[in-house]
Structures are given as structure tokens and as C-alpha cells.
């Protein structure tokens, strides 16, 4: 492996400022919400953290590792069926969530043939802000069985002490890919096995936000491409070619961009195209399935894990309505690549722009926020989008390409868990922003075209260029036949949950997205803004929008 070639030293994309405006148009979005569960990685703004700290030369990086790589022969002789590595990055506001998941793991624990190994990094000090016990530095340990009769602060606080602690580390910057690489090398070398899994636990922010957010080290997060660097280095030093499965127990890491970033490092990739609203993986069920059937195939494991996730996410309204979680067969990525590229080629050569636009207004989107349910979302379900284009277009070549793409996505997605409002989704996201208030910056578009591994494999950036160059602006600047007229206004001054405001409007023409602003005229030139409305009517017709006054974005 040519590490000089594969471990590129790349900086983290800087955050994008959010602008505002009042237009009636189709446009784009650069805003991104980060966070595992429903938290954010970098304060209330949810913007990306500061610049990446440059890494040393990758070959020098490897010199830091212990030279005790386990050979395939040694792993086979050891008789360990599985070693599952869990990178529990919890130096932030999710420490109590980490303890809960650790306790879930301990309900099952390791066996002689199936080892569950964790590296856990807490917030420093005696306890976190919620009163849960913490400690200084990181710990590497083997998960042993610690069955409890119930969940309480006492049982959660005791969970770390119930680990078989193998190493106590100093303060760890878990956002540093070197720390990730060293854990992988250590775990694989210390626990030789025939099969390996890796779970990365923390905040996630799709391709822009990456993974992590270490509160003791600047909350900068590990860029998407830095995660790849860390995993590659750990695999190279340990002598392991790739993992049997690699799961991101985070938000927003179930997209095409992530699949191609990590797909060659694992046989099975597991991620959430949508936000994880609280509970994450069901570790008790997942670990129990591996212990009970260590010879399970990757495909069957993906099906079981998705079923466990489904059962584990049936309490909150956000989970019931909007959860999205899937397992992906990385052996299908070459087929998916051909289907995506053929679809983009057909779309760019087609004159049927209306089908592309109408499909965008009807497609399943990801990055739902309960506080802003009508806000435009920058990620779409690529399988559903391709299916809609095929159904709506009059161009037979574009229809065939759309059908082929949706079929390729379905082949790649082994199993999925979807909320009640996402049943049309295939379970795989991709970036196609559509926010009239904020367009992607040149830096963001540049990073998409150069920093991601998919940039050299897929031509989706050409579709984004088509979208902003020939589709959205054509509607935005086209005053012929595209109109939005307000027809009804009720209780705008004091809306409430019991007595909401109602805005009625009529849409004529092929309109993808309506963007408006609630406000009040003050004098001749003044204007008090109360909030923004983002509506996706999905075509011509009469619409009514109720507003309870409980959210606004000024």
C-alpha cells in the first residue's frame, strides 16, 4: 500500500456563514446541523469548528505504533472469531449517553470467541455537567458481563469500573486521527481474530461536519477525510486489509459521500442518513447476536442490526416519524458508481428540466428538525429522487437512467429502518441543497469537488453544477407563469398551539420551493421580521400553512 498516496494531508472545510433574504424561488443550502442524537458539536450555531491541525507525514505517523502486528496465521491460531472495536468518543455533552450504551454492552459482555473492546474518552474532571461520574484521561478495556436489574445513575456511574481495564491513557484528543489509528492497531494486535468490526460513536455531521467534537481540545471534529486517514493507518500497521463491518453510531453518516469515503475499508457499512434522535444502536441486541451466532454472514448481520435499531427507536415522535438507518453492501459500490454517473450524464443531456425540478420538490429529504419542520433540508434520498425522476420525465433515456439508479441503490442497501414519514425512502442520502436563503460557498463546493474520495469516482458534482446553473436560477428568474399569491391570513399577531395563524396561498406554475418571511410593517419604511417560512408545495394549487408561533428563524 502506498501510504504517501492514500493518506493525503487535508484541512477541514471552514464553516459557512448563513445569510438571509426574502424571495420566492428555488435555490440552495449550505447550512448543516451536526450532532449525534439531537445535540450539536460546536455550540448552538451548529457550524463547523475551526481549521484542521496538520498531520505529520503518514510514514512518520506509523513509526509511533507498536511493531507487534498480528499476522493472519496468528489470528487464525488464536481462535478468536470476532474482535469488535468501539471508539467511544464522549468528551462532550453526550457523556451520559456513552455510559448508557456502555451499560448496554455490559449486559452481554465478551466471550472467549467474541471480544468487545472499547476506548472511552470522557470529559475531564470528577463529574460532568449532568452529575455523572467522570475521570481524567482515556481508558482502553475489554467489555465484560455486568448485568443490572435496571438503569439508574448509580448503575451508569459504575459501568466504567466494570470494564476489564487494560490501559489507562493520558488526555486523549479523540478528534485526532492518530488517536483513532493507534486504537485500531492496538485492538487488532492485542486481540487477534478471524473477523473484525469497528464502531465509531459520537456526533456526526455528514460529509461537511465529519465526526467528533472533543470539548477538551477545541471541539474541532475529525473531518470526513481524516477519519479515513486514521482508519487506513490503523489497518496498515495492524496488517488487516479491511473490517467485516464498520458502523457510524452518529447522525447523518448514511450518505453516498460517506459510502465512497469508507467503502473500500469494510465489507459492510452501517450509518444513519438522518439525525439519530437519541438512542443509537441497541448494543445488547447487537452483541448478543454476534455471541450467539459468530458465523453469521455480513448480510444477515445487517438485517438483524437494522431490525434491532427499528425496535430500539419507537418512543420519541421524531424517531417514530423520521428515523433512517441502513446497512450497505460495499461490494455493490462499483455498480452504484456506474448508475450514478449514467444518471448524471442523462440528466445533463436532457431537455426535461421540469422533471428534475418537480422530483426535488417531492423527494424524501434528510436533516429534519422538530423545531423547524418546514425548513429546507440539504440532503435527499438518492434512490427516491431517481425513482421520481423516472416517473415524471418524458425523456425515455432519463427515465431508464433513473430506474437503473434506483435499482442500484436498492441493491446496495441490504436492510433499513425508516420512520413513518420516510417510507418512500431507499435509505441512502446525497447532498443536493435547496435553500433560497443560503447557497453553498465556493469553498464548500471546492471541497466537495476535491477533498472527498468520491470526487474522483462520481460525477455528482456535475449534477450540482447543473442544478445551480440551469435549473434553480431558471425558475428563480422566470417570471412567466410562476406566481405565489397570498389568499388568506388569520391570527398573525398572536398565534398559539390552540389558535394558530393560517396563511393561505395559491401557486401557479411548476414551483419547487416557496420561501417567505413573516413580518410587520412599521411606519413607511420599517419592517419587523418574525420569522421565515420554507414551504414545499410540490406544484400548482391552493395551499394553507398553519403556524403556532413556537418557532422562527430571524
Amino acid at each position: 500500500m502506498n501510504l504517501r498516496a492514500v493518506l493525503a494531508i487535508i484541512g477541514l472545510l471552514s464553516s459557512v456563514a448563513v445569510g438571509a433574504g426574502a424571495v420566492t424561488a428555488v435555490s440552495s443550502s449550505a447550512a448543516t446541523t451536526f450532532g449525534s442524537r439531537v445535540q450539536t458539536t460546536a455550540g448552538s450555531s451548529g457550524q463547523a469548528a475551526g481549521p484542521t491541525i496538520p498531520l505529520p507525514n503518514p510514514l512518520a505517523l506509523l513509526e509511533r505504533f507498536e511493531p507487534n502486528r498480528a499476522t493472519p496465521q496468528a489470528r487464525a491460531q488464536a481462535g478468536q472469531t470476532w474482535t469488535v472495536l468501539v471508539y467511544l468518543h464522549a468528551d462532550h455533552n453526550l457523556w451520559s449517553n456513552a455510559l448508557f450504551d456502555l451499560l448496554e454492552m455490559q449486559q452481554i459482555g465478551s466471550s472467549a470467541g467474541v471480544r468487545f473492546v472499547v476506548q472511552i474518552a470522557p470529559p475531564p474532571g470528577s463529574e460532568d455537567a449532568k452529575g455523572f461520574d467522570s475521570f481524567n484521561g482515556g481508558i482502553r478495556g475489554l467489555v465484560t458481563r455486568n448485568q443490572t436489574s435496571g438503569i439508574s445513575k448509580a448503575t451508569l456511574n459504575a459501568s466504567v469500573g466494570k470494564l476489564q481495564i487494560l490501559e489507562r491513557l493520558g488526555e486523549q484528543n479523540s478528534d485526532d486521527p492518530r488517536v483513532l489509528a493507534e486504537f485500531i492497531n492496538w485492538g487488532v494486535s492485542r486481540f487477534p481474530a478471524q473477523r473484525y468490526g469497528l464502531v465509531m460513536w459520537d456526533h456526526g455531521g455528514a460529509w461537511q461536519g465529519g465526526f467528533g467534537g472533543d470539548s477538551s481540545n477545541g471541539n474541532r471534529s475529525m473531518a470526513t477525510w481524516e477519519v479515513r486517514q486514521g482508519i487506513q493507518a490503523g489497518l496498515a500497521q495492524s496488517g488487516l486489509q479491511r473490517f467485516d463491518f464498520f458502523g457510524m453510531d452518529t447522525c447523518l453518516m448514511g450518505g453516498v459521500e460517506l459510502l465512497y469515503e469508507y467503502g473500500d475499508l469494510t465489507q459492510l457499512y452501517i450509518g444513519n442518513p438522518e439525525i439519530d434522535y437519541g438512542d443509537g444502536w441497541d448494543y445488547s441486541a447487537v452483541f448478543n447476536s454476534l455471541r450467539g451466532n459468530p458465523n453469521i454472514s455480513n448480510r444477515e448481520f445487517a438485517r438483524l442490526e437494522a431490525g434491532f435499531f427499528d425496535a430500539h427507536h419507537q418512543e420519541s415522535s421524531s424517531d417514530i416519524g423520521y428515523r433512517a438507518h441502513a446497512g450497505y453492501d460495499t461490494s455493490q459500490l462499483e455498480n452504484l458508481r456506474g448508475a450514478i454517473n449514467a444518471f448524471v450524464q442523462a440528466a445533463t443531456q436532457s431537455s426535461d428540466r421540469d422533471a428534475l425540478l418537480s422530483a426535488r420538490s417531492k423527494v424524501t429529504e434528510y436533516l429534519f428538525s422538530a423545531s423547524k419542520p418546514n425548513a429546507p433540508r440539504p440532503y435527499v434520498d438518492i434512490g427516491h429522487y431517481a425513482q421520481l425522476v423516472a416517473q415524471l420525465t418524458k425523456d425515455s433515456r432519463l427515465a431508464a437512467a433513473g430506474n437503473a439508479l434506483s435499482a442500484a441503490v436498492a441493491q446496495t442497501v441490504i436492510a433499513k429502518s425508516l420512520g413513518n414519514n420516510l417510507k418512500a425512502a431507499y435509505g441512502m442520502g446525497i447532498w443536493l441543497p435547496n435553500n433560497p436563503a443560503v447557497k453553498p460557498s465556493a469553498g464548500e463546493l471546492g471541497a466537495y469537488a476535491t477533498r472527498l474520495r468520491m470526487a474522483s469516482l462520481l460525477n455528482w458534482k456535475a449534477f450540482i453544477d447543473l442544478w445551480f446553473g440551469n435549473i434553480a436560477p431558471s425558475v428563480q428568474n422566470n417570471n412567466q407563469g410562476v406566481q405565489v399569491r397570498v389568499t388568506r391570513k388569520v391570527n398573525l399577531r398572536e398565534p398559539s398551539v390552540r389558535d394558530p395563524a393560517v396563511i393561505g396561498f395559491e401557486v401557479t406554475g411548476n414551483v419547487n420551493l416557496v420561501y417567505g418571511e413573516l413580518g410587520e410593517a412599521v411606519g413607511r419604511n420599517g419592517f419587523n421580521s418574525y420569522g421565515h417560512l420554507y414551504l414545499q408545495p410540490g406544484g400548482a394549487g391552493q395551499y394553507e400553512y398553519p403556524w403556532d408561533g413556537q418557532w422562527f428563524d430571524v
Side-chain angles (χ1 to χ4, degrees), residues 63 293 406 511:
E63 292 173 1
N293 183 14
S406 61
V511 176

Side-chain angles (χ1 to χ4, degrees), residues 24 374 483-490 501-509 511-518 533-547:
T24 300
N374 292 285
Q483 294 182 349
V484 178
R485 182 173 63 90
V486 175
T487 58
R488 185 183 180 209
K489 294 178 286 186
V490 177
V502 177
I503 301 171
F505 59 97
E506 179 183 39
V507 176
T508 58
V511 176
N512 176 21
L513 186 100
V514 176
Y515 170 78
E517 184 161 344
L518 286 178
L533 303 178
Y534 305 93
L535 312 171
Q536 286 200 320
Q542 296 278 348
Y543 298 91
E544 283 197 347
Y545 175 72
W547 182 53

Side-chain angles (χ1 to χ4, degrees), residues 15 36 107-108 134 143 205 227 291 300-301 365 405 489 507:
S15 59
S36 178
Q107 301 312 298
I108 305 302
S134 185
V143 178
V227 173
R291 277 196 55 168
E300 183 59 23
F301 176 71
E365 295 183 299
L405 176 51
K489 294 178 286 186
V507 176

